[in-house]
Amino acid sequence: LNGGKRPGSGRVGGGKIPVVVGGAAAVGREGERRQLLQVEERVREVQARVGRYEEMAARHAKDKVTLAAVQHKLAAAREELRRVQGGRDSAHSSMAKQEALRKWTKF
């Protein structure tokens, strides 16, 4: 009838008005730092998973079936770790460049 919309869903953002403290630049920096923390947390999670899979591989070295499954998961986790670390490095360098630019544009 009405395009699949529920009643009251026409409001943007749920009707809440965002509060900006410190200007748009401060919100941007805070968001970048928060995003960096999330990336760091993801790297730690994946590193822990890789460590657990390495321990499992050492424990099940004599069981060929289990070892093959663990090695498959270990290889996937290592690939994910490389990808996540690359994203972290990119985010760190991007934030450093932006902070350096802000520092020089103040004058």
Side-chain angles (χ1 to χ4, degrees), residues 78-98:
R78 284 180 176 159
E79 181 60 34
E80 184 179 1
L81 181 61
R82 277 189 227 103
R83 186 177 47 80
V84 171
Q85 284 177 335
R88 177 190 62 184
D89 295 342
S90 174
H92 274 289
S93 65
S94 173
M95 189 168 167
K97 286 178 186 176
Q98 288 177 357

Side-chain angles (χ1 to χ4, degrees), residues 5-6 25 36 43 49 54 65 82 89-90 93 101 106:
K5 292 184 180 180
R6 295 177 306 193
L36 263 179
V43 168
R49 191 176 332 140
E54 288 173 345
V65 176
R82 277 189 227 103
D89 295 342
S90 174
S93 65
L101 180 65
K106 280 203 291 191

Side-chain angles (χ1 to χ4, degrees), residues 26-44:
V27 171
R29 283 192 300 268
E30 182 65 30
E32 291 168 3
R33 288 192 177 99
R34 195 171 298 134
Q35 185 179 12
L36 263 179
L37 289 175
Q38 290 173 348
V39 170
E40 289 291 336
E41 179 65 27
R42 181 75 177 141
V43 168
R44 282 192 295 271

Side-chain angles (χ1 to χ4, degrees), residues 56-71:
M56 286 175 66
R59 249 192 340 259
H60 298 289
K62 293 182 181 179
D63 185 5
K64 300 291 184 193
V65 176
T66 306
L67 181 62
V70 170
Q71 285 178 337

